[in-house]
Amino acid sequence: MDSQTSQPSQASPSPHTFQVDLRGLVDLLSHHLYSSPKVYLRELLQNAVDAITARRAEEPDAPATVRLYAEDGTLRVEDSGVGLTESDVHSLLATIGRSSKRNDDLESARSDFLGQFGIGLLACFVVAERIRVVSRSARTPGAAPVEWTAADDGSYTVRVLPHEARTEPGTTVHLVARAGAAEWLSRERVRSLARDFGALLPYDVRVGDEAIADLPAPWDRPHPSPTARRVALAGHCRELFGFTPLDSIGLDVPLAGIRGVAYVLPTAVSPAQRASHRVHLKGMLLTERAEQLLPDWAFFVRCVLDTDSLRPTASREALYEDETLAAVREALGERIRSWLTGLAAGDPERLAAFLSVHHLGVKSLARHDADMLRTMLPWLPFETTDGRLSLEEFAQRHPVVHFTRTVEEYRQVAPIASAQGVGVVNGGYTYDSELIEALPGVRPGTAVSELDADTVTAHLDTVDPAEELALAGFLAAARARLDPLNCDVVLRSFHPLSVPALHLDDRAARHEQARAEAEEQADDLWAGILGSLRGSAPRARLVLNHLNPLIRRISSLGDPDLVGTATESLYGQALLMAQRPLRPADSALLNRSFIGLLEWATHTDPGKDDRR
């Protein structure tokens, strides 16, 4: 007997077929895949249009009609498309996800058709409790008409009809509304949805006798002049988006199969606000909320376009993020960029009107695009000590373009710098400091320098050494009072005379101040770590104006405590003038100095009280 024991053979497991709970699938479609029940009509239109496209691929002269009839909670959709045989019905309608467009060249099929017949028809259960399909095939002329009837419980029947039941090729879909959904099948709602979804379809689509398609598309219509075209497109924008645009931009990208228009918003919007655009796929409205269609910097336009190259998501309500979409996004961004450069070259008035509203969007583009920055230099507005100017004009006036990185820093130094003839640009607004720093790259020979406390102080006139020496006691008392606040006191002469004191610091000084405060509040371990990070940055400084009459009177006081209180008041006033946020220590100082001055002003000599 063989030493090897033979193993019993294992029987192959019997295959099983997935069972689909149609009620659960309808719930999934209506509550998770699709954003609204209204998509049922788009799916019906897509099926009809695809069927016509399939028939015309074999019969170029075949009729291309779609008719919708809505009445009393029912809807009938008739098309002159390719139709179905009995085997097609079993294959396509009884198997979820099977496409009627499958062939050996899937990519070619995808480029010719909009949807997927089985899933699209199933979506109608979102509003219907029963669906009946009657179809006759154009590919098999001798085949009899076939009827497929399905209910929302997942059951269906198929039967062959007499030839006279449908004499011409094509398909008719009958819907009966489910409870609570009759309004979706009303004539008014069907007409509105058909217009919304199918206005750009290339076939004869009608609700009853009313034509739905509105061709050619607004951006393809001829006009006698550019002005007439602009007026017509403005009317289209008002009808579609509800606003009158500043301008319209043609979006013609033949290689990507894109035609459309971008409308420039008449009011400023936040760059963080996601723009929503209308995208048609082969004439059928795909989505009204396409957010990733344009580059982020182009947040100042709203688009409507038709494409045959972009890929929809499973719900066909958004665009699939892939290489094609990325290429289209870049191409559309280039069209908007070309429009801007064209305005700069030939229509400065319209450009100025645009920039007065949307300069932020152009600045966002220019910071990453040297050519755009070079083009926009004469037009982009910046806040400067010379008024609101472009960087080009400001650089022509000043050999060095000084700038601040924050609005607070600019407010500190702007009045003083202007009086001293120092030009400063406020770089504290979004993108401005980046553009200023990029200026030498597009304007060779331009010197750009960040303005700090040392630079400002260096432009202020020094006080005669003998006069400053005579005020040594006053300055010592003032410095002693502000030393705990990490602030030095210096004496200078500057204009305007009405400014008694100027508080100056920079980012390095503020960083060192914050570190010192954290060190004071930390435990021994963290205090040691923070102490090791101590920087050598200059401290903030309070610059006293020797030309100001108030400073002269305070400097003549003989009481060191009163000098200290007055210095604290000047420090607080300088902070408030610069619109700087106050630390708790600064607020306490303001209160203390205010009360101290009140006490001094109301002080009465005790000897005089005794003589009363």
Side-chain angles (χ1 to χ4, degrees):
M1 183 175 181
D2 192 341
S3 60
Q4 294 182 346
T5 303
S6 60
Q7 300 294 325
S9 61
Q10 296 182 350
S12 301
S14 299
H16 297 279
T17 301
F18 282 106
Q19 300 299 310
V20 176
D21 179 358
L22 189 56
R23 290 186 185 275
L25 187 56
V26 169
D27 179 74
L28 177 66
L29 291 173
S30 59
H31 293 99
H32 301 285
L33 183 62
Y34 296 120
S35 63
S36 167
K38 69 180 182 180
V39 298
Y40 88 91
L41 192 67
R42 183 195 63 196
E43 299 296 340
L44 288 173
L45 286 176
Q46 283 186 347
N47 286 339
V49 169
D50 284 344
I52 293 172
T53 302
R55 183 177 180 183
R56 282 204 157 184
E58 302 175 9
E59 302 177 49
D61 296 329
T65 61
V66 180
R67 297 290 183 267
L68 297 91
Y69 303 95
E71 184 178 4
D72 298 330
T74 65
L75 175 65
R76 184 171 86 254
V77 181
E78 301 177 352
D79 70 66
S80 59
V82 69
L84 302 171
T85 63
E86 182 181 5
S87 62
D88 292 334
V89 167
H90 284 289
S91 176
L92 301 176
L93 299 186
T95 305
I96 302 303
R98 182 72 58 82
S99 173
S100 63
K101 279 78 68 173
R102 294 186 182 276
N103 59 25
D104 295 335
D105 188 354
L106 184 59
E107 290 301 318
S108 174
R110 180 178 297 161
S111 68
D112 291 335
F113 298 95
L114 296 172
Q116 192 175 44
F117 190 79
I119 288 292
L121 193 60
L122 188 65
C124 293
F125 280 121
V126 173
V127 298
E129 67 176 8
R130 188 169 70 255
I131 302 174
R132 176 170 169 259
V133 177
V134 176
S135 187
R136 182 165 189 161
S137 175
R139 289 175 175 154
T140 310
V146 61
E147 176 191 73
W148 177 85
T149 304
D152 59 3
D153 62 1
S155 63
Y156 73 92
T157 61
V158 178
R159 66 189 181 108
V160 177
L161 302 178
H163 284 273
E164 59 269 17
R166 184 179 180 101
T167 58
E168 296 297 326
T171 299
T172 301
V173 179
H174 303 261
L175 302 185
V176 177
R178 64 191 308 125
E183 192 274 337
W184 288 103
L185 272 62
S186 67
R187 178 178 173 82
E188 293 74 17
R189 178 58 67 93
V190 168
R191 181 174 59 242
S192 174
L193 293 178
R195 281 190 176 278
D196 203 29
F197 286 120
L200 300 184
L201 289 175
Y203 301 137
D204 180 12
V205 181
R206 296 174 182 268
V207 176
D209 296 328
E210 184 177 347
I212 296 303
D214 187 19
L215 296 176
W219 48 85
D220 286 332
R221 296 170 188 170
H223 298 282
S225 67
T227 300
R229 171 182 170 81
R230 194 155 50 241
V231 170
L233 288 177
H236 175 246
C237 180
R238 283 192 298 272
E239 180 181 348
L240 200 62
F241 294 115
F243 64 85
T244 301
L246 286 178
D247 205 349
S248 56
I249 308 168
L251 301 178
D252 183 9
V253 187
L255 292 178
I258 286 178
R259 294 280 296 169
V261 62
Y263 294 115
V264 181
L265 291 166
T267 56
V269 293
S270 167
Q273 178 179 331
R274 300 295 295 179
S276 296
H277 310 289
R278 290 176 61 96
V279 176
H280 296 255
L281 180 61
K282 304 180 187 71
M284 183 73 71
L285 178 66
L286 180 71
T287 178
E288 299 173 277
R289 299 184 299 275
E291 295 183 346
Q292 70 274 49
L293 185 65
L294 296 181
D296 290 341
W297 55 261
F299 55 82
F300 50 84
V301 298
R302 294 293 180 269
C303 296
V304 53
L305 55 82
D306 187 26
T307 175
D308 59 15
S309 63
L310 297 180
R311 178 183 172 190
T313 58
S315 67
R316 294 197 288 279
E317 293 185 277
L319 297 173
Y320 189 81
E321 184 68 49
D322 56 12
E323 293 182 357
T324 301
L325 179 57
V328 166
R329 185 185 301 120
E330 182 178 350
L332 295 180
E334 182 59 36
R335 291 294 182 275
I336 298 174
R337 184 185 291 108
S338 298
W339 170 78
L340 283 171
T341 55
L343 286 186
D347 200 339
E349 291 185 0
R350 284 172 61 202
L351 178 62
F354 166 76
L355 290 177
S356 67
V357 178
H358 296 299
H359 58 274
L360 197 59
V362 179
K363 287 181 178 180
S364 173
L365 170 60
R367 66 193 177 117
H368 297 304
D369 189 323
D371 290 336
M372 179 57 64
L373 177 57
R374 188 178 295 107
T375 300
M376 292 291 112
L377 267 181
W379 309 104
L380 286 175
F382 288 78
E383 183 180 1
T384 79
T385 50
D386 292 354
R388 198 159 181 81
L389 300 175
S390 69
L391 286 182
E392 175 70 25
E393 187 174 357
F394 188 84
Q396 292 174 356
R397 297 184 182 186
H398 299 276
V400 178
V401 178
H402 292 289
F403 73 98
T404 63
R405 290 191 181 275
T406 68
V407 175
E408 290 79 11
E409 291 174 358
Y410 178 80
R411 288 170 178 166
Q412 280 182 300
V413 303
I416 309 304
S418 179
Q420 309 304 312
V422 179
V424 183
V425 182
N426 185 355
Y429 296 114
T430 306
Y431 310 133
D432 282 8
S433 61
E434 297 175 70
L435 294 176
I436 297 167
E437 290 181 303
L439 188 57
V442 297
R443 195 177 189 276
T446 303
V448 172
S449 175
E450 182 177 355
L451 192 67
D452 55 22
D454 288 336
T455 303
V456 176
T457 305
H459 281 82
L460 304 179
D461 295 333
T462 58
V463 179
D464 181 85
E467 293 187 41
E468 187 168 1
L469 181 61
L471 298 176
F474 158 70
L475 292 173
R479 287 165 180 157
R481 187 59 65 94
L482 295 187
D483 186 67
L485 297 173
N486 294 310
C487 182
D488 292 332
V489 177
V490 297
L491 189 65
R492 292 290 187 272
S493 296
F494 57 86
H495 292 272
L497 301 180
S498 58
V499 178
L502 176 66
H503 181 271
L504 295 176
D505 64 359
D506 50 31
R507 286 184 301 161
R510 288 195 296 275
H511 175 76
E512 175 61 20
Q513 188 178 60
R515 187 210 58 77
E517 292 175 356
E519 182 180 356
E520 291 179 1
Q521 300 173 8
D523 56 29
D524 292 342
L525 174 61
W526 282 107
I529 295 174
L530 291 169
S532 67
L533 298 176
R534 182 179 292 110
S536 59
R539 303 199 301 175
R541 66 196 66 178
L542 182 68
V543 184
L544 303 179
N545 187 359
H546 186 54
L547 300 179
N548 181 268
L550 177 61
I551 296 298
R552 288 183 176 272
R553 288 197 296 271
I554 294 175
S555 65
S556 65
L557 295 173
D559 185 348
D561 288 337
L562 184 55
V563 168
T565 300
T567 303
E568 288 179 336
S569 298
L570 290 169
Y571 173 84
Q573 188 262 355
L575 285 179
L576 293 175
M577 290 297 294
Q579 301 183 37
R580 292 290 304 279
L582 299 180
R583 301 169 297 162
D586 297 329
S587 298
L589 174 143
L590 277 172
N591 291 332
R592 183 173 64 248
S593 62
F594 178 71
I595 293 173
L597 290 177
L598 283 179
E599 290 178 345
W600 176 81
T602 59
H603 175 72
T604 303
D605 188 337
K608 292 182 180 179
D609 290 340
D610 293 340
R611 291 192 293 270
R612 290 181 179 177

